[in-house]
Amino acid sequence: MLIRSSIKLHPTIKALSKHIVYTHLHIGLSAGFITLGTAYHATITNYFLYGITAFFATISVYNFHGVYKAELLKSSAKHTWIFRHHLYIKWLITVSTSITLLLLMFLLKKPFIVLPLLFVIGFISFYYVIPFKGSPLREQPFMKVIYVAATWTSFLLIFPPLNEGINALHWGEICAYFCLFVAIALPYDLRDVSIDQQKFKTIPSSIGSKKTMLISITAFLISGTLILSTDRTGIYNPIFWSVIGSNVLLLLAVFYRKKEPYYALLDSAFGMIGLIYFW
């Protein structure tokens, strides 16, 4: 179940929480907030539109993955819920994809530079779950986390400045968020290890849970350090330290408790890092 604790929530709140998590709206918000903040930090005028685009693109891709896996697996409460509501989810995919494409057409300024990048991102996102030459990309040994971090970094951090013609990319910031996405993705590798290890090798199935947790926490701390190196005002920003501290606690909670609410909170909390640029 999505929520199972000593605190009993009102059925309406519980149903709403389930809807938000199972339709990946919270992950879309995190993607949108990070793009919003980093584009603003890069002095991009249309930073808000880039954030909205990231929000709808993430909803489109993650729900596409969810529907595809639910129709194959139906192995959890989430997959069962998605399968039962597959028509609504497919409608959501259609709407979010259409809005994403319209926004990209409106924002597009450097087609010869960014279209190849967008094609690669789209290719990886599609074949991440759809078999390509026999198996989906996510089943390539040790590449699951790398594909997730690379596509998020490319779309959220590299696409906006390239499209705006900003030649001096903030590589420190790009590396910071790549590390952040690796840190956030590793707990999911650990959660799925019992299923994944039957088909392909992942980092947790090869080095174990404790070392995976150590890599995740280390990657997250490297990410925070690199973000500080690109914007030193964060040292004096209590909001920055609050966001970093809460994310570290949630990472630890996910590794030690392995409960769905902690995963949902982590997916919601890491996007708050993008908002620190506004304070």
Side-chain angles (χ1 to χ4, degrees), residues 35-56:
T35 305
L36 193 73
T38 53
Y40 174 81
H41 187 233
T43 66
I44 293 174
T45 306
N46 289 326
Y47 64 88
F48 185 77
L49 286 181
Y50 281 104
I52 294 293
T53 304
F55 169 74
F56 282 109

Side-chain angles (χ1 to χ4, degrees), residues 63 146 213 219 237 241:
N63 279 296
I146 302 302
M213 180 183 71
N237 189 342
W241 294 110

Side-chain angles (χ1 to χ4, degrees), residues 1 4 6 21 26 29 41 49 64 89 107 121 123 131 138 162 173 176 243 250 260 263 265 275-276:
M1 297 295 289
R4 184 177 293 172
S6 57
V21 174
H26 63 313
L29 282 172
H41 187 233
L49 286 181
F64 169 70
I89 301 293
L107 288 168
I121 294 170
F123 180 89
R138 69 188 298 274
L162 277 184
E173 195 168 61
V243 170
L250 283 169
E260 282 299 323
Y263 285 100
L265 287 171
L275 298 181
I276 64 173

Side-chain angles (χ1 to χ4, degrees), residues 52-218:
I52 294 293
T53 304
F55 169 74
F56 282 109
T58 304
I59 289 176
S60 172
V61 170
Y62 272 71
N63 279 296
F64 169 70
H65 292 175
V67 166
Y68 183 81
K69 288 190 286 186
E71 291 178 348
L72 289 178
L73 301 174
K74 289 181 281 185
S75 58
S76 67
K78 177 179 179 180
H79 290 140
T80 303
W81 188 94
I82 292 173
F83 185 77
R84 286 206 315 265
H85 298 84
H86 68 279
L87 291 178
Y88 165 67
I89 301 293
K90 288 176 180 177
W91 173 83
L92 188 61
I93 294 168
T94 302
V95 171
S96 56
T97 302
S98 301
I99 294 174
T100 300
L101 292 174
L102 287 172
L103 286 168
L104 286 174
M105 286 190 289
F106 178 80
L107 288 168
L108 197 62
K109 294 181 180 179
K110 304 285 184 180
F112 293 107
I113 296 175
V114 299
L115 284 179
L117 175 66
L118 292 176
F119 174 80
V120 172
I121 294 170
F123 180 89
I124 294 174
S125 298
F126 185 80
Y127 286 108
Y128 183 76
V129 293
I130 302 294
F132 176 71
K133 294 186 177 180
S135 62
L137 295 178
R138 69 188 298 274
E139 293 187 5
Q140 293 181 1
F142 308 110
M143 289 301 295
K144 188 177 172 184
V145 168
I146 302 302
Y147 281 132
V148 171
T151 51
W152 272 66
T153 304
S154 298
F155 192 73
L156 273 56
L157 275 295
I158 297 177
F159 162 63
L162 277 184
N163 188 52
E164 293 293 324
I166 299 174
N167 296 320
L169 295 176
H170 293 275
W171 285 107
E173 195 168 61
I174 289 168
C175 291
Y177 282 93
F178 180 85
C179 289
L180 172 67
F181 301 142
V182 167
I184 300 301
L186 279 172
Y188 289 88
D189 256 13
L190 187 59
R191 182 193 63 181
D192 300 337
V193 69
S194 60
I195 299 173
D196 291 344
Q197 67 184 358
Q198 299 174 14
K199 299 179 180 179
F200 56 96
K201 289 185 177 181
T202 60
I203 293 172
S205 67
S206 299
I207 66 174
S209 111
K210 288 185 179 179
K211 290 181 180 178
T212 300
M213 180 183 71
L214 182 61
I215 292 174
S216 178
I217 297 295
T218 301

Side-chain angles (χ1 to χ4, degrees), residues 227-239:
I227 290 172
L228 277 179
S229 72
T230 61
D231 185 4
R232 295 182 183 277
T233 58
I235 296 173
Y236 310 103
N237 189 342
I239 295 175

